[in-house]
């Protein structure tokens, strides 16, 4: 009986610690996952209360806002940011296929390789 209580207390403590860590990152308290997307605040293409969706076709400005970089960023910077976002949002790892498509499309627009059509559009 005592061991069951200890296990329950351990699970509860782990859940509370995990919740605190997630809240810390979601509020931008560290340079982790939550802080990475702070540049998207106020971006009308993503988030609640949006009047319109993404531009069709995607402009260079919108592509830069999705990746969180300037429109004049070099190809190495674009590739690094794209890779980082795809690691976090890849559908095979629980991410959204729509977001992954938009991140890929943004990379293509900024690198001048915009050959594919949006399957969600």
């Amino acid at each position: 009986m005592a061991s069951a209580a200890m296990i329950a207390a351990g699970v509860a403590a782990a859940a509370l610690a995990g919740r605190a860590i997630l809240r810390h990152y979601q509020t931008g308290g560290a340079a982790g996952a939550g802080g990475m997307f702070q540049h998207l605040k106020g971006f009308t293409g993503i988030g609640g209360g949006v009047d319109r969706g993404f531009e069709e076709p995607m402009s260079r400005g919108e592509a830069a806002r999705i990746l969180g970089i300037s429109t004049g960023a070099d190809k190495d910077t674009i590739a690094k940011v794209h890779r980082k976002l795809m690691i976090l949002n890849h559908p095979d790892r629980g991410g959204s296929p729509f977001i992954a498509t938009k991140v890929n499309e943004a990379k293509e627009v900024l690198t001048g390789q915009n050959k594919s059509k949006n399957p969600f559009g």
Side-chain angles (χ1 to χ4, degrees):
M1 185 71 169
S3 62
M6 293 297 286
I7 290 172
V11 169
L16 288 173
R19 180 177 160 207
I21 291 169
L22 286 174
R23 284 191 175 179
H24 179 72
Y25 281 107
Q26 287 174 344
T27 59
M36 173 179 283
F37 299 105
Q38 294 300 314
H39 67 276
L40 294 176
K41 283 186 175 177
F43 176 52
T44 57
I46 299 175
V50 177
D51 292 341
R52 63 180 180 89
F54 291 96
E55 296 173 15
E56 190 62 44
M58 184 180 289
S59 68
R60 289 185 59 83
E62 182 180 37
R65 285 191 306 269
I66 288 171
L67 296 180
I69 56 178
S70 70
T71 56
D74 61 2
K75 287 189 178 189
D76 287 338
T77 302
I78 295 168
K80 286 178 187 175
V81 171
H82 173 264
R83 178 173 165 73
K84 193 171 190 179
L85 288 173
M86 286 305 295
I87 287 171
L88 292 171
N89 293 297
H90 199 279
D92 290 347
R93 303 186 86 197
S96 164
F98 181 75
I99 291 175
T101 300
K102 287 299 181 183
V103 170
N104 283 330
E105 186 179 357
K107 178 190 174 204
E108 291 172 359
V109 168
L110 290 175
T111 58
Q113 303 172 357
N114 196 10
K115 299 173 189 168
S116 67
K117 286 280 192 179
N118 182 0
F120 298 104

